Amino acid sequence: MIVVRSFFETSIPEELFDAAKLDGMSYLGYFVRIVLPLSSAILAVIGLYYFVGHWNDFMTGLIYVTDWDKQPLQNILQQLLLVNQNTTMANVGSLAQQRAADQIKFAIIIVSTVPLFVLYPFLQKYFNKGVMLGAVKG
């Protein structure tokens, strides 16, 4: 919120509000018709941060979802990694079995990151501009 607020304060000129007020536009109209189109970069960056935060969140599913069939992907991935780690420590078993288990683990990790890989190229042009918007300029 601080980054968005500093963006609105520094990047949106006060003259635009004055011109919109002279034209008879309300505060909501000014925000929807002028501010939001000018702030697409910061909205894309905040949206990407929000998506990544919720995509990687496993604590919410751990607390609220009790049925194992309805667990989110991150909880299943965490359980798989923990079980695989515990069996590796307990059993020194076959090297081939361990390699197969590791390959499955790595494949699941790659599959769980695919939505981020799909989303990022569409937001990359906004991301490069938006990350530097709240930075201190000297």
Side-chain angles (χ1 to χ4, degrees):
M1 286 306 275
I2 293 172
V3 173
V4 175
R5 186 184 66 109
S6 67
F7 170 78
F8 286 151
E9 288 177 353
T10 59
S11 297
I12 308 293
E14 189 69 29
E15 290 81 16
L16 285 176
F17 177 69
D18 294 338
K21 195 173 182 182
L22 283 174
D23 290 339
M25 192 176 288
S26 67
Y27 288 113
L28 182 63
Y30 168 71
F31 183 72
V32 171
R33 292 185 183 157
I34 296 174
V35 174
L36 285 182
L38 291 175
S39 59
S40 61
I42 194 69
L43 294 177
V45 169
I46 297 299
L48 183 65
Y49 285 162
Y50 184 77
F51 178 76
V52 170
H54 279 287
W55 182 255
N56 290 330
D57 181 36
F58 67 92
M59 192 58 133
T60 305
L62 195 63
I63 292 172
Y64 296 117
V65 181
T66 57
D67 187 13
W68 177 252
D69 294 334
K70 297 178 183 175
Q71 287 289 323
L73 177 66
Q74 299 303 329
N75 289 35
I76 294 170
L77 181 61
Q78 180 196 21
Q79 283 294 88
L80 182 68
L81 294 177
L82 289 176
V83 166
N84 191 16
Q85 183 180 10
N86 290 339
T87 57
T88 303
M89 298 291 183
N91 280 344
V92 182
S94 168
L95 185 62
Q97 287 177 342
Q98 182 59 40
R99 283 188 180 165
D102 285 343
Q103 288 176 351
I104 291 171
K105 177 175 66 172
F106 298 145
I108 291 174
I109 291 171
I110 294 297
V111 167
S112 71
T113 59
V114 165
L116 297 175
F117 289 145
V118 169
L119 184 65
Y120 185 75
F122 296 110
L123 296 177
Q124 184 177 7
K125 62 181 176 182
Y126 300 114
F127 191 72
N128 291 338
K129 285 191 289 184
V131 170
M132 297 307 292
L133 289 175
V136 176
K137 298 176 179 90

